[in-house]
Each structure stands twice: as structure tokens, then as C-alpha cells.
Amino acid sequence: MEAVLIKRFIVEFGYGVDLHGQDVNKAAQKAVKDAISHSCLCGLTEILGVDLNEVVVEATVAVSRPEEIEEEGIKAVLPIGGKYVKAIKGGMSVAGIKEPEFGDKDDTIEIAVACITVSIK
């Protein structure tokens, strides 16, 4: 079988915060949404004639507890293409306030960083 060469078209970054609830998935989803909101892929369709459903979209999310990331929830935020998710250790967990009525388990705020790469074959 012949290997398919994939070339990166765009790399974009974003960040997301879960102020209450300490949910790394909510923070990561916000980070991915932030990253994809910074780019328009019109060059893929208008110049290269690429079908957006055939691109490869990789989301790398850096959070304080990567083992808690639910990949399908992150993929659901990505609007096009073949979707891949990788969770790594990073992001931040910083002091906030504990408000149980907002769903807080402790007094931390979760911050996630995302890198989105869109590639074409």
C-alpha cells in the first residue's frame, strides 16, 4: 500500500477557561472553538478546490488532567474533516473561588490551550 503524503495548510491556537466546575473537557472545548474561530479556510476551496470533508483536522489540547479528556466531545466541536484528538499535560489550574451553587468541587479555575492543525492530502 502506498503512503499518502499529508501537508499542513494551517496551524492555529486558542485557549479556553472553565471558571466553575473544574471541567477540563469544557475548558478544552472552549480552547478548540477559540482556535477555529481565528481562521477561514476559503483558500482550500477557492484556490485549491479541496473538499472540506476530506481534510485532516488534528486537535492537540493541553490540560492539567489529560487523562480526563473525552475525545468524542472534542471531536464534536470540530466542524469538518477527519478528526483526531490528542490530550497532553499542560494548561493551568489556578486559584479561583469555590461556589458550590455553580458546581465547584474546589476553588480552582481550569485553563486549556489548543493547537489545531488542518492538513490536506
Side-chain angles (χ1 to χ4, degrees):
M1 178 178 250
E2 186 178 324
V4 177
L5 181 63
I6 296 179
K7 295 187 180 211
R8 293 179 300 160
F9 184 77
I10 192 168
V11 177
E12 190 60 71
F13 303 90
Y15 84 97
V17 179
D18 185 30
L19 294 171
H20 297 285
Q22 297 72 44
D23 190 330
V24 293
N25 285 287
K26 285 183 182 176
Q29 289 172 354
K30 289 177 182 179
V32 169
K33 286 179 185 179
D34 183 47
I36 63 176
S37 72
H38 296 162
S39 61
C40 176
L41 303 177
C42 57
L44 284 175
T45 58
E46 294 176 4
I47 297 170
L48 300 176
V50 172
D51 178 347
L52 292 181
N53 290 314
E54 295 181 9
V55 300
V56 175
V57 182
E58 297 175 84
T60 302
V61 293
V63 295
S64 63
R65 298 182 311 278
E67 67 278 1
E68 293 181 17
I69 287 294
E70 298 168 359
E71 288 187 18
E72 292 307 313
I74 304 301
K75 287 179 181 179
V77 176
L78 298 169
I80 60 168
K83 304 170 186 183
Y84 300 90
V85 175
K86 181 167 86 172
I88 62 172
K89 182 78 172 163
M92 286 193 285
S93 181
V94 298
I97 60 171
K98 183 178 181 180
E99 294 293 334
E101 60 270 18
F102 293 149
D104 287 329
K105 301 171 205 129
D106 60 36
D107 69 345
T108 60
I109 297 169
E110 287 297 326
I111 304 167
V113 179
C115 176
I116 306 300
T117 304
V118 177
S119 302
I120 57 176
K121 297 176 187 178

